[in-house]
Amino acid sequence: MYCTNCGTDVGEGSFCPNCGTNLNRVRPSENVETFNLITAYKSMFKKYAQFSGRSRRSEYWLAYVTNMIIMTAIYFIMFIPMVIEGIIFGEPTGFSAVIAVLCSLLMLVYSIAILVPSLAMSVRRLHDIGKSGWFLLLSLIPYVGGIIIFVFSVLDSQPGANQYGPNPKGL
């Protein structure tokens, strides 16, 4: 068991040896937000440029998966006319080129639209494990940077409150 105030491992005690919090009175929040693909995606935009606070793993990964589904759907829409025209006519025609350009523009607009909320959510995810948002710059290191950020993103929340706010799990 961890102290809800400072995150210290207290075992089965009723008071935190580090900060003195009475653990019998402190209960997990009953207003803990649960996420699915839609609520996590909405939450990402609701907290559009909020770089402070913490984001749970489920919020982060479900929003990430939703973004990947949307991008895959746009690519699918872009390439299906080319494939169909290639099968029917032997080569793509002007129609598929127009669809490809429109989908490319849509992808560009969508990528710009999710840039700030995605960065903000990544920073809040790093805050949840007790790391500074500046650790996100590690992703700029070729090969290993992305792996480091991936490992950070799958780590469990830091128990209790930390310098970035209370635990979003309500623990």
Side-chain angles (χ1 to χ4, degrees):
M1 185 163 114
Y2 295 94
C3 174
T4 57
N5 187 39
C6 69
T8 303
D9 186 5
V10 294
E12 296 299 319
S14 56
F15 289 95
C16 175
N18 188 34
C19 68
T21 301
N22 183 351
L23 300 174
N24 291 331
R25 288 188 188 186
V26 180
R27 296 196 175 153
S29 171
E30 295 175 6
N31 298 332
V32 175
E33 193 172 10
T34 57
F35 294 101
N36 60 35
L37 288 174
I38 304 302
T39 58
Y41 190 71
K42 285 181 182 178
S43 173
M44 180 179 76
F45 281 102
K46 194 185 311 178
K47 301 173 186 175
Y48 187 84
Q50 182 181 339
F51 288 87
S52 60
R54 297 168 68 170
S55 285
R56 297 172 57 183
R57 268 188 305 195
S58 60
E59 179 182 7
Y60 175 83
W61 281 108
L62 290 171
Y64 182 86
V65 166
T66 305
N67 279 329
M68 291 299 106
I69 290 170
I70 291 169
M71 290 179 156
T72 302
I74 294 171
Y75 280 123
F76 188 72
I77 291 168
M78 181 168 47
F79 288 111
I80 285 298
M82 287 185 210
V83 171
I84 291 173
E85 287 180 351
I87 292 171
I88 294 173
F89 301 115
E91 63 181 53
T93 62
F95 174 74
S96 61
V98 170
I99 296 294
V101 168
L102 291 176
C103 287
S104 297
L105 288 173
L106 178 62
M107 183 62 72
L108 177 66
V109 169
Y110 182 72
S111 298
I112 292 170
I114 67 167
L115 179 65
V116 172
S118 296
L119 287 174
M121 182 169 288
S122 296
V123 168
R124 290 193 312 270
R125 180 70 199 118
L126 287 169
H127 287 174
D128 193 42
I129 62 168
K131 305 282 185 219
S132 168
W134 291 105
F135 273 80
L136 196 56
L137 293 175
L138 290 173
S139 62
L140 299 175
I141 300 171
Y143 307 113
V144 297
I147 295 169
I148 294 169
I149 296 301
F150 172 76
V151 169
F152 284 163
S153 68
V154 297
L155 292 175
D156 196 11
S157 300
Q158 189 177 34
N162 67 17
Q163 64 197 22
Y164 303 106
N167 191 333
K169 289 182 179 179
L171 299 176

